[in-house]
Amino acid sequence: MQTEINGIHALVPARWRSLDGIVGVHWDAEGHAGASGYYLSPDPRIMLFFNDVSDQIKVADREVDLGRGDRGLCRAIYVPAGVPMWTRFTKRHRFRHLDLHLHQDRLMRFLTPALGSSAARTALRQSVELQDPGPVATLGGLVADELSTATRHPAFAENLIGSIVTGLMDMTVDASESPAQTGRLTQAQMNRLSTHFSVNGEQRLSVSEMAALVGLSESWFATVFRQTTGKTPLQWQLSRRIEAARQLLDDEALSIAEIAAQYSFADQAHFTKVFRQFTGDTPAAWRKRRDRV
């Protein structure tokens, strides 16, 4: 693996373990503001972060995009073999992550029983980025424990990693389970939408832009999206923005007007109106009640 790292250092010695077609490494590290990294592996790679890094670490597919076209680094990513990655730190940050280097043949053994060899090879070529990895994060914690203690047979860690692979990879469903047949978006398509909004600060997208993200026409997307979520695309986006804004109300240093501006509401009055529609409270009342808890 080719790496060029500047301003990033391990806080404790890395814990690693070699398994059947897999090398797992558990890092506890820190990067300084302006730190950078370049990574290129001949093998597929999975990275699982145990704390949020999307604000502090930015990632790009090309070096020229750092600082202008980069995006927040998600908590769970799959990088196909031979795909380069550049990162930069916007501020000093400590992080823990699990790094899994997997031989391509080993990945095929994980995926082929469920997908068939052709679909498995397609999945191996698709990058995956998830801001909310769900149960995959729990599995990653168990694997990290195994790297530290190695008290069980290697098969235990290998099977945990197999579950991470099948839980993280963008596994294509067969035609009988496509949106055209079921009238619903797949979980992979919903993950793609959720991740986009998470790493871009919940900024608004048009219906056509959302449809393009999941590879559907605008008219068909609007139909299947409502059947999948019970909401229109606009309602779904608003609910996400209100939920994100509600979390920020716990920060007394931010005014309600500042929070409204951060999530692209026209002004504080507009934010208050929409917030009340979704929660039954004004932002000020919500903040005051939280203060009393």
Side-chain angles (χ1 to χ4, degrees), residues 12-291:
V12 296
R15 287 149 286 180
W16 68 280
R17 190 174 180 187
S18 181
L19 302 163
D20 178 17
I22 307 164
V23 174
V25 188
H26 181 208
W27 295 94
D28 188 344
E30 184 177 62
H32 301 291
S36 62
Y38 165 72
Y39 312 89
L40 177 62
S41 174
D43 297 309
R45 181 182 178 210
I46 288 174
M47 297 175 68
L48 286 171
F49 289 85
F50 296 109
N51 56 319
D52 186 26
V53 296
S54 58
D55 287 339
Q56 299 85 1
I57 307 178
K58 302 300 180 180
V59 62
D61 303 320
R62 302 183 306 167
E63 187 174 16
V64 295
D65 290 332
L66 283 176
R68 60 180 186 180
D70 51 25
R71 58 194 182 276
L73 184 60
C74 288
R75 286 189 55 201
I77 64 173
Y78 165 73
V79 184
V83 173
M85 182 174 73
W86 283 264
T87 61
R88 69 178 179 92
F89 281 68
T90 60
K91 60 187 75 172
R92 187 187 190 98
H93 191 56
R94 178 174 178 172
F95 60 95
R96 290 195 311 118
H97 84 272
L98 177 67
D99 215 349
L100 300 173
H101 300 265
L102 304 110
H103 193 279
Q104 195 135 315
D105 290 344
R106 189 66 169 107
L107 270 179
M108 286 294 290
R109 278 190 276 157
F110 282 135
L111 295 175
T112 298
L115 300 180
S117 59
S118 178
R121 282 192 291 271
T122 298
L124 293 188
R125 295 192 293 268
Q126 305 298 318
S127 298
V128 177
E129 300 181 5
L130 292 180
Q131 178 59 14
D132 181 8
V136 170
T138 302
L139 293 168
L142 294 173
V143 172
D145 290 343
E146 282 301 298
L147 299 183
S148 300
T149 61
T151 57
R152 296 180 177 88
H153 191 280
F156 179 67
E158 291 164 7
N159 282 311
L160 288 173
I161 292 168
S163 295
I164 289 173
V165 168
T166 55
L168 177 62
M169 302 289 282
D170 192 357
M171 296 168 65
T172 305
V173 296
D174 61 37
S176 65
E177 296 177 325
S178 68
Q181 296 291 327
T182 65
R184 297 175 64 86
L185 294 173
T186 67
Q187 187 58 53
Q189 288 171 319
M190 287 303 302
N191 287 344
R192 200 170 298 135
L193 288 169
S194 294
T195 295
H196 178 90
F197 281 98
S198 294
V199 301
N200 289 283
E202 305 297 338
Q203 295 301 305
R204 288 178 291 179
L205 287 183
S206 67
V207 175
S208 62
E209 289 170 326
M210 292 176 70
L213 273 174
V214 297
L216 296 177
S217 69
E218 181 177 347
S219 59
W220 182 240
F221 171 80
T223 299
V224 297
F225 188 90
R226 183 156 197 163
Q227 291 177 199
T228 304
T229 66
K231 301 173 182 176
T232 67
L234 177 59
Q235 289 170 335
W236 183 78
Q237 289 189 59
L238 274 175
S239 67
R240 289 183 61 94
R241 288 161 62 206
I242 289 296
E243 180 57 32
R246 188 164 60 178
Q247 301 300 318
L248 282 189
L249 286 171
D250 292 339
D251 185 353
E252 296 286 351
L254 292 172
S255 70
I256 292 174
E258 288 172 327
I259 295 172
Q262 180 165 331
Y263 288 106
S264 302
F265 290 96
D267 50 32
Q268 183 173 336
H270 179 223
F271 173 50
T272 297
K273 179 181 177 180
V274 176
F275 192 92
R276 181 186 283 136
Q277 289 174 346
F278 277 86
T279 69
D281 266 331
T282 66
W286 176 273
R287 172 173 274 176
K288 188 175 296 184
R289 189 170 68 252
R290 291 288 295 175
D291 288 343

